[in-house]
Amino acid sequence: MRTLVLIGHPDLAHSGTQAFLQAAAGALTDADEWDISAQGVPDSAEILRLQGEMRRYDRLIFQFPLYWYSMPGVFKQWLDTVWTTPFVSGRPGEAPPLAGKELGIVVTFSQAQQDYRLGGREHFSLSELLRPIAALGLAAQMQLLPIFPVAQFGYMTERERQHLLVTYAQYLSLPAGAHFADRAQWFAAWLTQHASAHSDYAAWAAALTAQQEQLADLHDTLAEMRREEDDAL
Amino acid sequence: MRTLVLIGHPDLAHSGTQAFLQAAAGALTDADEWDISAQGVPDSAEILRLQGEMRRYDRLIFQFPLYWYSMPGVFKQWLDTVWTTPFVSGRPGEAPPLAGKELGIVVTFSQAQQDYRLGGREHFSLSELLRPIAALGLAAQMQLLPIFPVAQFGYMTERERQHLLVTYAQYLSLPAGAHFADRAQWFAAWLTQHASAHSDYAAWAAALTAQQEQLADLHDTLAEMRREEDDAL
């Protein structure tokens, strides 16, 4: 799985959220990253080069803070310039260059996640607000991954940040629709690989591997209970 | 009705559609226009000045070509900069500065209008794709006007362009929810005012005024028939 994260942030250097996510991606994944706000206005040769580079990946991630309910202007301007019509829709009689690849969205925002729903403070869901990206993905014949929302990073506890670290790295690395067992296996491998970084990692990895079957059962039961709870709302 | 049209187009000078709309607005309305792509990156004093200017209008119109299913980056970047959080949402305990004003959207695109619907070539409706603007209008407590779509201007006949000219000018000038009688009256007044421009204008204005009641009846009947036809689809 070759993943490229396209980060569009008007002030990347001063974003704690983005710094955290970049550190997570660097430590836990093989994903590449582009800071597209630093690319300036590419000329036509540079546009072709960037398009060629993007075609080498299996998964592209749009990563940005939500500005007025959509991507920041700096990201949109880059898309308007670099994602030309032949690059998205293909030339007549040819498949679109990105057809079959995956498109993920990592969106950060300072509101609570439940604000984004019918009757919530922001009225619309993220799925509704980010529909232009869904339309772009459809035009390019890409497979859309579920949105990965990062709400109120500034208020997260250390434990929540650890959870974000792992789920974000998995969003970048794991096959789409990975089951709990895949996730546990991925995490065990990562813990083993980084055993020298923390005295407990090796033991956790061993426990994860040994108890994988019981953990998967437990996970399914919990997921079932959560579904029943949601249905009761 | 004081209307300000905010035009965000990366290449305004070479857009035939925008030139046509600008000419229509200039000839038929008192609306003011800003070419926001020409404003560059405003500093904080300039931002405050622009905000003060916008507050003087009753109706703001976002006018732009659809780029990848949303507004062009140049427009979004201007919004991200000039529409600050206090300008949109108001300061704590105060009403938003734009509360109660109207927000219109004039969107131009090269596809057929019926491509933008469920099962159509572009999959989503304009109402779905432009939801971020609806969310922005809600945050600012503005009244959203129905979208004014301009599809395939390049293929329009002279007659279709004349119709566009009038309906666009009305979109900028007439009160929201204006009935047919208001529209006819507006058009009659405009024909009278511009009687010197065309030998038939004065006669048309007289006919419009004299037959206003019959025309309104005819319009209602046609509208009713159209509704029944739509229901049958």
Side-chain angles (χ1 to χ4, degrees):
Chain A
M1 173 69 65
R2 294 152 60 87
T3 299
L4 174 63
V5 185
L6 303 167
I7 309 176
H9 194 297
D11 191 14
L12 190 56
H14 295 97
S15 164
T17 319
Q18 296 294 333
F20 180 87
L21 295 177
Q22 285 186 287
L28 276 67
T29 80
D30 297 324
D32 291 329
E33 293 187 332
W34 287 0
D35 170 10
I36 58 174
S37 19
Q39 289 189 357
V41 181
D43 60 19
S44 49
E46 176 67 1
I47 289 172
L48 281 178
R49 195 188 67 76
L50 292 171
Q51 292 178 347
E53 284 290 310
M54 282 186 276
R55 295 180 68 159
R56 295 173 50 235
Y57 292 88
D58 310 304
R59 178 178 290 175
L60 300 179
I61 308 274
F62 288 179
Q63 181 170 310
F64 55 86
L66 200 64
Y67 273 37
W68 290 137
Y69 309 103
S70 50
M71 59 171 58
V74 65
F75 200 145
K76 186 61 181 10
Q77 202 145 16
W78 182 86
L79 266 189
D80 290 350
T81 309
V82 178
W83 286 46
T84 57
T85 302
F87 181 65
V88 171
S89 309
R91 299 186 182 282
E94 286 177 22
L98 302 176
K101 297 179 188 292
E102 293 172 339
L103 177 60
I105 303 171
V106 175
V107 57
T108 66
F109 46 91
S110 55
Q111 296 82 4
Q113 191 161 341
Q114 68 260 32
D115 287 350
Y116 290 95
R117 57 175 170 175
L118 184 66
R121 206 178 287 201
E122 303 293 353
H123 305 289
F124 300 112
S125 68
L126 292 171
S127 296
E128 289 173 293
L129 294 170
L130 300 177
R131 200 135 300 172
I133 302 179
L136 180 64
L138 279 168
Q141 295 183 20
M142 299 178 82
Q143 302 290 329
L144 209 63
L145 301 178
I147 296 167
F148 188 91
V150 181
Q152 302 186 301
F153 177 80
Y155 295 119
M156 281 186 188
T157 62
E158 193 49 40
R159 199 188 167 87
E160 286 167 336
R161 289 189 183 196
Q162 288 306 315
H163 183 253
L164 172 64
L165 184 89
V166 171
T167 52
Y168 173 71
Q170 293 182 334
Y171 188 75
L172 267 46
S173 312
L174 276 182
H179 291 289
F180 177 77
D182 308 314
R183 296 179 179 274
Q185 197 177 9
W186 179 92
F187 195 36
W190 183 83
L191 286 167
T192 306
Q193 198 183 329
H194 294 78
S196 60
H198 192 289
S199 56
D200 287 336
Y201 279 5
W204 291 354
L208 256 180
T209 308
Q211 299 165 31
Q212 190 162 321
E213 210 163 307
Q214 297 96 305
L215 281 171
D217 285 348
L218 182 62
H219 177 270
D220 290 349
T221 309
L222 284 170
E224 187 55 37
M225 286 169 66
R226 204 177 299 126
R227 259 196 296 278
E228 281 168 11
E229 197 182 315
D230 284 350
D231 289 347
L233 279 182
Chain B
M1 174 68 65
R2 295 153 57 88
T3 299
L4 174 64
V5 185
L6 303 167
I7 308 176
H9 194 297
D11 191 14
L12 190 56
H14 295 97
S15 164
T17 319
Q18 295 295 331
F20 180 88
L21 295 177
Q22 285 187 286
L28 277 68
T29 79
D30 298 323
D32 291 329
E33 294 187 332
W34 288 0
D35 171 10
I36 59 174
S37 18
Q39 289 188 357
V41 181
D43 61 18
S44 50
E46 177 65 1
I47 289 171
L48 282 178
R49 194 188 68 76
L50 293 171
Q51 292 178 346
E53 284 289 310
M54 281 186 276
R55 295 180 67 159
R56 296 172 48 235
Y57 292 89
D58 308 305
R59 179 178 289 175
L60 300 179
I61 308 272
F62 288 179
Q63 181 170 310
F64 55 86
L66 200 64
Y67 272 36
W68 290 138
Y69 309 103
S70 49
M71 59 172 57
V74 64
F75 200 146
K76 185 60 182 10
Q77 202 146 16
W78 182 86
L79 266 189
D80 290 349
T81 309
V82 177
W83 287 47
T84 57
T85 302
F87 181 64
V88 171
S89 309
R91 299 187 182 281
E94 287 177 21
L98 302 175
K101 297 180 188 293
E102 293 171 340
L103 177 60
I105 302 171
V106 175
V107 57
T108 66
F109 45 92
S110 56
Q111 296 82 3
Q113 192 162 342
Q114 67 261 33
D115 288 350
Y116 290 94
R117 57 176 171 174
L118 184 66
R121 206 178 287 203
E122 303 294 353
H123 305 289
F124 300 112
S125 68
L126 292 171
S127 296
E128 288 173 294
L129 295 171
L130 300 177
R131 200 136 299 172
I133 302 180
L136 180 63
L138 279 168
Q141 295 182 18
M142 299 178 81
Q143 302 290 328
L144 208 64
L145 301 178
I147 296 166
F148 188 90
V150 181
Q152 301 185 303
F153 177 79
Y155 296 118
M156 281 187 187
T157 62
E158 193 50 40
R159 199 187 165 89
E160 286 168 336
R161 289 189 183 196
Q162 288 305 316
H163 184 253
L164 172 63
L165 184 89
V166 171
T167 51
Y168 173 71
Q170 293 182 335
Y171 188 74
L172 267 45
S173 312
L174 277 181
H179 292 287
F180 177 77
D182 308 315
R183 295 180 179 272
Q185 197 178 9
W186 178 93
F187 195 35
W190 182 84
L191 286 167
T192 307
Q193 198 184 329
H194 294 77
S196 60
H198 192 289
S199 56
D200 287 335
Y201 279 4
W204 290 354
L208 256 182
T209 308
Q211 300 165 30
Q212 190 160 321
E213 211 163 305
Q214 295 96 303
L215 282 171
D217 285 347
L218 182 63
H219 177 269
D220 288 349
T221 310
L222 283 170
E224 187 56 36
M225 284 169 67
R226 205 176 298 126
R227 258 195 297 279
E228 280 169 11
E229 196 182 316
D230 284 350
D231 288 348
L233 279 183

